[in-house]
Amino acid sequence: MEIAAYLRVSTADQQTANQLLAITKHCEAQGMTLGKIYQDQGISGAKHSRPALDELKADIESGKVKGLIVYRLDRLARSTSHLIEMLEILKDKEIKFISDWSIQDIA
């Protein structure tokens, strides 16, 4: 299965390399192909609108995304309401979702 990844860091001086490494290792271990990587650099997770997240949502709506992996839930959303909104979108479109509890064991 090909799976998209969403990466985010809050400040411009932070890097997403550790997130990508853990996600890549997890995908390899599970026999999944890592597809498109959506990445927001230096953008707070409290913002509902972020360039890469908005692109991801559009690709989900158009059926381009079949699976999504994030390093940790707080990379996707910082508030419970935003997380629930994102999870509902994924559920409605039957998108496989993978997050931190399965990834960090491999990192």
Side-chain angles (χ1 to χ4, degrees):
M1 171 184 197
E2 183 173 293
I3 191 160
Y6 178 74
L7 315 173
R8 183 191 60 78
V9 289
S10 299
T11 64
D13 60 326
Q14 295 174 317
Q15 300 296 317
T16 57
N18 64 329
Q19 294 175 45
L20 183 57
L21 178 62
I23 286 170
T24 300
K25 285 182 178 181
H26 179 80
C27 288
E28 289 172 358
Q30 298 301 313
M32 295 182 288
T33 302
L34 186 57
K36 188 167 183 177
I37 298 169
Y38 300 84
Q39 181 172 306
D40 282 313
Q41 180 84 31
I43 299 175
S44 170
K47 294 184 178 190
H48 278 71
S49 180
R50 300 174 232 148
L53 183 62
D54 294 345
E55 181 183 0
L56 170 62
K57 287 179 182 179
D59 286 352
I60 287 170
E61 285 298 319
S62 68
K64 294 179 183 175
V65 175
K66 302 298 181 203
L68 177 65
I69 188 169
V70 296
Y71 180 69
R72 286 192 333 234
L73 290 176
D74 68 350
R75 301 300 85 200
L76 184 62
R78 295 291 290 183
S79 72
T80 303
S81 62
H82 187 220
L83 178 60
I84 290 169
E85 174 188 322
M86 286 301 302
L87 293 175
E88 285 296 324
I89 291 169
L90 297 171
K91 180 183 171 190
D92 289 347
K93 295 293 185 177
E94 298 180 357
I95 306 294
K96 178 179 177 68
F97 180 64
I98 302 168
S99 184
D100 57 341
W101 57 87
S102 56
I103 296 171
Q104 292 187 17
D105 291 338
I106 295 174

